[in-house]
Every structure is written in C-alpha cells, then in structure tokens.
Amino acid sequence: MAKHLVTLIPGDGIGPEITSAMRRVVEATGVDIEWDVVEAGADVMDKYGTPLPDHVIESIRKNKVAIKGPITTPVGTGFRSVNVALRKALDLYTNLRPAFSIEGTGARYDNVDLVICRENTEDLYAGIEFEQGTADAAELIQWVEDKGAGTIRPDSGISLKPISVTGSRRIVKFAFDYAIANGRKKVTAVHKANILKHSDGLFLKVAREVAEEYADSGIEFEDYIVDATCMQLVLHPEWWDVLALPNLYGDIVSDLCAGLIGGLGMAPGANIGDECAVFEPVHGSAPKYTGKDMANPTAEILSSVLMLNHLGEREAGERVLRAVRTVLAAGERVTYDIRRTRFGSTDGAVGTQSYADALIEHL
C-alpha cells in the first residue's frame, strides 16, 4: 500500500480538536498517511507576522493534498480571509460541497443527495472594489456615464463582477467530470443570465458549449435561474444532482443546501485545482468551545472522506462514511448538538473524542 503525504493544518479555535478526531479516524482505516503538520491562522501571527506563512503554502504545493481545520482570520492584517488567500495562491478554482441526508441528524429532509461545484476565483468575490467617496470611485462613475452605460449614484461604493470564459469553462467541465466519475446523472448550470447578460450570460453560454462536448457522456444538462433554484431546492430537494455555479451564487446556495441536511456541522468541503486540493469543513472556528471537547467533528471527518476518495482510497472512505451513518442513526454516542436537535436535550451527549472512538469501533 502506497504512503500518502498530506499537509495537515489544525487551524485554531476548535480546529485542533476536530482535526485530531479526524486524524484518529483516518488512521484507524489502515490507510498509510504521513502527516506534514503546519500551523496557520490567528495563533501564529506573533511568531510569523502573518496568519498564512509561506511554508504552509509550500507544504501544500509539495504534497499536493491538504486537510485543515477552521481558521480565524485576524482583524486588521490586510488578509480578507486565510481561506481566500490559500485559494488564490494555489488556484483552487473549484469549491466542492456535497450535501446528503444522514439519518439521525434531525434535519428537515431525508432525501437530499446533491453536489455543489462553486467557481472559486472570480465573480464579485474577486475583490475588485471602489470605496464610496474616493476619487477612483468618482472617476469610474463618470466613465460609466460618459460611455452611455448607465447612471450610478455619486455616493455609491462599487464592486465589479468579472466572469471569464476560462473560469466558467473549467468549473462546468469539473462538474461534468465529477458527475461521470461518481455515477451522477445530471449537471445543472445556475445563473441570472436573464438580467446579467454579459457576465452570467457568458457563464451560461460557456456552460452550454461545454455540455455539447459531453453530449455522448450520458449526463443530462439543464440550466436554472438562481432564485428559482433556491425555491425549488427547498420545495423539491430530490430534483437536484450536480450544480455548477459562479462564486457568489455558489456560496449562498451551498449554505442553503447545508441547511437542508442539518446545518454546517454536517457539511464537508474541498477546494480543488489542477495541481492541489485542500479539504476542510465549511463551519467556523467556534472559539467559545475551544478546549471543551464538545465540538462536533462530523464535517471534518466527512471532509476526510472526500480526501480519501481523492487519494484513490475509496474503500476506506466508504468505511468512514458508513461508520458516520451508523453512529448518527443510533444517536447514542453523539455530540451535544446532535442530541439537542434530535431529542430536545443534551443529556447523554459525548465529547468530540468519544464520538471519534464510536466511529473507530464501526470501521
């Protein structure tokens, strides 16, 4: 069995606790992983002067695969987000967010099984902004008016929404390739092309072109307007399979889908590029629970399932997923949040590591 080199970023807040639980579960599968543990986040600011030291990025570049806990971005450092900085530095253009029902979570639905493929590098999150009241904002406002493109109020702040052929093509292609590799049946491109003709309109045009290239793949293609998508996800979550979305819509819709399956504590995630992949839970660092052995590590552990699949260790990933399903369905050795949602009381809840112990027993 080949050894896998994986960068492990524990993060801060509850990060070290839930990554410790994840690591124990993964190691119990028997998969041979050598962990390259590196630190990032608010806790390393004093030591390195940055929440994202260069050696962290270099470790990921070298190992190609990383898994991390949640990271708190320090205020006033110039970093909008450590996670965003990682995505940009490594060109992790796909944010992969599966959402699937698991018995025992207390979720509102039991028939959800879909995958969000969110473009990760452009759209309104590109960070091209002009602050209200600045000379640059005034110049842009005047330029727009001079071009006859419209009128912007002079007291406006402005954010630009770049959507490229390149960015659109590779996220839709990723969605089709993922669907084929994972036995999925349909890809839906989500957009607002009826209003945003030259940005979302371009995304939809490229999506349709990519779909033509996969016409013989057996994967169905459709497109849906984003607001209708949100409504129908709530009304008919069973309709959906793989969704490809620009950055902003992907962010919003993926959290909506997390709500369908019981919340962010059940939501695994991955940021994937052509060279590297970083796996992580979607939720935050929850600093008020730091060191209390209370946090639910399910999202981190489900993220490790995605990692194992990415490493070609699908059998191990399937065993971990079965263990999660078994323990949550039983409802006896689960963390406080699951007990409270399911039974209305935290009585009988176990800690983070005891929950991991229960999973290990069922591998």
Side-chain angles (χ1 to χ4, degrees), residues 79-132:
F79 273 84
R80 298 170 65 209
S81 162
V82 171
N83 291 332
V84 169
L86 271 176
R87 293 168 191 169
K88 287 187 174 182
L90 300 168
D91 196 24
L92 305 175
Y93 60 84
T94 297
N95 182 217
L96 183 69
R97 292 270 301 267
F100 48 89
S101 300
I102 297 179
E103 181 185 353
T105 62
R108 293 177 181 270
Y109 299 87
D110 59 9
N111 58 344
V112 180
D113 183 11
L114 57 87
V115 180
I116 299 292
C117 297
R118 166 193 170 193
E119 202 288 322
N120 232 357
T121 64
E122 52 185 23
D123 194 5
L124 283 168
Y125 287 8
I128 306 171
E129 297 191 288
F130 298 85
E131 185 179 358
Q132 182 270 328

Side-chain angles (χ1 to χ4, degrees), residues 20-33 35 363:
S20 172
M22 175 277 299
R23 179 173 175 172
R24 292 174 54 228
V25 170
V26 170
E27 289 174 350
T29 66
V31 173
D32 191 3
I33 291 182
W35 306 97
L363 288 174

Side-chain angles (χ1 to χ4, degrees), residues 299-319:
E300 182 79 40
I301 291 166
L302 291 177
S303 297
S304 79
V305 173
L306 299 179
M307 180 190 73
L308 289 167
N309 291 344
H310 181 81
L311 291 171
E313 301 285 357
R314 283 188 172 270
E315 187 273 336
E318 289 170 1
R319 281 192 283 135

Side-chain angles (χ1 to χ4, degrees), residues 21 38 67 72 75 134 165 215 222 252-253 255 257 261 264 322:
V38 292
I67 188 164
T72 304
V75 176
T134 62
V165 172
E222 66 180 6
I252 295 167
V253 171
D255 271 24
C257 292
I261 61 169
L264 295 179
R322 283 198 302 270

Side-chain angles (χ1 to χ4, degrees), residues 122-124 161-165 167-168 198-200 202-203 246-247:
E122 52 185 23
D123 194 5
L124 283 168
K161 179 188 170 75
I163 298 285
S164 69
V165 172
S168 301
H198 300 303
S199 51
D200 285 29
L202 178 62
F203 177 83
N247 207 339

Side-chain angles (χ1 to χ4, degrees), residues 227-240:
D227 40 342
T229 301
C230 291
M231 179 183 72
Q232 297 295 351
L233 277 164
V234 174
L235 290 174
H236 301 287
E238 73 280 2
W239 282 5
W240 308 90

